[in-house]
Amino acid sequence: MHPLLPVMRAGLDPHADLVRMRRDRPVAAFPMLGLPKAWLVTRHEHVRRVLGDPRTFGNDLALARDLPATITAGRWRPGGLGFYDPPGHTRRRRLLAPAFRPRAIRGMTTRIEAIVDEQLDRLAHAGGPVELVRALAEPVAARVVGELVGVADADVLATGGGRFDISGELGMPLAAIVRSVSHLAELVRRQREGRRAGLLGRLIDEHGDHLADHELVGLADGLLTGGLDTTASMIATGVLVLLGDDDLAAAARAGGGPLDGVVDELLRYVCVAQLAFPRFARTGVVLAGRRIEAGEAVFCSLPTANRDPALGAGMDAVDPHRGPTPHLAFGFGTHRCLGAPLARLEMRIVFSALLRRFPGLRLAVPVERVGFRRFSIIHGVESLPVTW
Ligand code: HEM
């Protein structure tokens, strides 16, 4: 079995070997990323159990047994919420939460619409064919999360590159973290001394005396990493699915409730986040008959969980009429994605505006030629050439 199987796909479908594991060995020993004792969990029921039980499964790397030297020796520090347990997690999440309350997110609607319209104007001006990842998905996601955090979109893009690519094990992600942390440290320093903007500026204003620079950097890094690649990938792959299904595209164009159904179903079906943050067993525990010892790592496969036949019939198809499913595209439990409402809003605005503005939008290459990322924790298309 390929050592990076948990991040391999068949187009937008889960890899056949993972589907077989879900059926035959739903909790399987699967050493990866240099962790000699690690487990892979593929069924919805067990993924939900792991993510929803922080007393048994923690996120703090200090819980891990036998961390590889690449992690322990490195000059890097993961600062995002996903690597903390309570009370540190609770304290940090509370600092960020006000910016993600429903009212705050609703308040971003007009600004996101303006950003999307500007990007669509540029598309119209350029004329087809265009490559939609670079011309729409990435700039929209980067500008929105940049304005939220209070950094320029160029800075957002500078922190991204290679973060989720594990084709060379952890080399690329760790190098990307080191690059991002030093870039953000400079931005934090500038905001402390000069003009303040966005959530970062507000955190400095309100908590700057007791929040160290490295904490601010970690929080900003977690938001930028969490909000850029995920959302850009969902926009681009979502458009790919919409262009292949006229009814789905019509529902997206209609807006309102039908559009909500489309967005939710695309999140479940495409499921760009292939793995939740790693969890580490705090004590010995039995899951699906397998004994996991304290300190062993547990990786949860979200695409296989989201397509689990236990959720109902036909989970391998996109059906916006099936009603809400308990899908895990945003994770589950105390670490569930903080940015979920923002991501949904961005997807809603982009899909409806794009399809209304360009009713004749279609792929500019045969669908078989659309290439997918390989070995990336965040799945997506490499590029999406379209025309109209
Ligand atoms: C479609 C887009 C997105 C997807 C699919 C997604 C998915 C996820 C997933 C799977 C997790 C991990 C949950 C776990 O391990 O239990 C997560 C965590 C997180 N996401 Fe997102 N995300 C998206 C967009 C965003 C955006 C736009 C932001 C912020 C601007 C964001 C910020 C975060 C943060 C801060 C966490 C850590 C939460 C915690 O540990 O408490 N995400 N996301």
Side-chain angles (χ1 to χ4, degrees):
M1 219 167 270
H2 195 289
L4 294 178
L5 176 64
V7 294
M8 288 163 68
R9 296 278 273 259
L12 292 177
D13 292 333
H15 192 283
D17 286 346
L18 282 176
V19 172
R20 265 192 292 279
M21 280 176 83
R22 183 180 65 198
R23 189 191 60 201
D24 303 331
R25 292 189 300 138
V27 174
F30 201 97
M32 68 169 204
L33 299 180
L35 290 158
K37 290 297 293 185
W39 298 86
L40 182 64
V41 179
T42 41
R43 275 191 199 161
H44 185 274
E45 126 189 46
H46 302 131
V47 169
R48 204 167 141 124
R49 158 91 201 282
V50 171
L51 302 186
D53 182 2
R55 274 194 289 197
T56 308
F57 301 98
N59 287 43
D60 191 334
L61 286 178
L63 293 168
R65 210 166 84 185
D66 306 327
L67 278 183
T70 34
I71 292 189
T72 49
R75 193 173 56 80
W76 71 289
R77 181 206 302 257
L81 297 178
F83 293 97
Y84 286 97
D85 283 329
H89 175 256
T90 323
R91 181 173 64 78
R92 287 175 173 83
R93 191 159 165 130
R94 275 200 196 123
L95 289 170
L96 304 181
F100 293 92
R101 294 209 178 103
R103 204 156 145 245
I105 297 298
R106 269 199 308 280
M108 295 174 72
T109 307
T110 317
R111 187 62 197 131
I112 299 174
E113 284 170 349
I115 289 173
V116 171
D117 282 345
E118 264 176 53
Q119 294 298 142
L120 295 182
D121 287 345
R122 287 185 203 172
L123 287 192
H125 184 72
V130 296
E131 196 287 288
L132 216 64
V133 175
R134 250 58 70 185
L136 184 70
E138 278 182 1
V140 167
R143 290 179 69 183
V144 171
V145 74
E147 287 193 14
L148 173 86
V149 175
V151 304
D153 48 337
D155 291 317
V156 181
L157 294 168
T159 63
R163 180 66 70 106
F164 295 110
D165 183 335
I166 56 169
S167 55
E169 299 244 312
L170 289 175
M172 285 245 252
L174 295 183
I177 294 175
V178 171
R179 257 197 325 273
S180 169
V181 163
S182 68
H183 192 83
L184 286 170
E186 174 59 21
L187 300 184
V188 165
R189 193 188 57 74
R190 268 193 248 152
Q191 286 221 20
R192 272 215 199 263
E193 291 169 4
R195 202 181 75 81
R196 295 178 180 170
L199 183 48
L200 192 53
R202 210 170 334 137
L203 288 174
I204 296 174
D205 280 342
E206 294 170 12
H207 308 278
D209 292 341
H210 55 269
L211 273 179
D213 280 10
H214 76 261
E215 284 202 84
L216 288 163
V217 165
L219 292 173
D221 181 58
L223 288 172
L224 299 179
T225 319
L228 173 64
D229 229 6
T230 50
T231 315
S233 271
M234 262 323 301
I235 291 173
T237 45
V239 170
L240 172 66
V241 177
L242 291 171
L243 293 184
D245 184 328
D246 290 344
D247 291 342
L248 213 56
R253 209 175 275 119
L259 176 56
D260 283 335
V262 170
V263 166
D264 197 50
E265 197 43 11
L266 286 174
L267 283 161
R268 179 193 70 78
Y269 175 85
V270 173
C271 194
V272 292
Q274 313 224 57
L275 294 169
F277 291 115
R279 302 309 203 259
F280 303 96
R282 295 176 185 282
T283 55
V285 56
V286 175
L287 190 65
R290 306 301 306 268
R291 173 141 183 111
I292 302 174
E293 300 295 346
E296 293 180 353
V298 181
F299 291 98
C300 289
S301 163
L302 303 178
T304 51
N306 276 359
R307 305 278 193 102
D308 193 330
L311 293 181
M315 300 312 280
D316 282 320
V318 190
D319 175 4
H321 307 296
R322 75 165 91 242
T325 58
H327 72 70
L328 302 171
F330 289 119
F332 179 71
T334 49
H335 287 275
R336 185 175 183 278
C337 178
L338 188 60
L342 176 60
R344 283 181 195 276
L345 179 62
E346 289 182 63
M347 289 169 67
R348 274 186 64 93
I349 294 173
V350 172
F351 294 150
S352 60
L354 175 70
L355 295 175
R356 284 180 193 169
R357 179 87 171 258
F358 302 100
L361 194 75
R362 60 184 189 282
L363 285 180
V365 294
V367 67
E368 316 74 62
R369 295 255 310 276
V370 174
F372 292 91
R373 287 185 187 166
R374 301 183 70 219
F375 308 129
S376 174
I377 293 173
I378 303 300
H379 192 50
V381 288
E382 289 285 1
S383 64
L384 192 67
V386 296
T387 193
W388 55 91

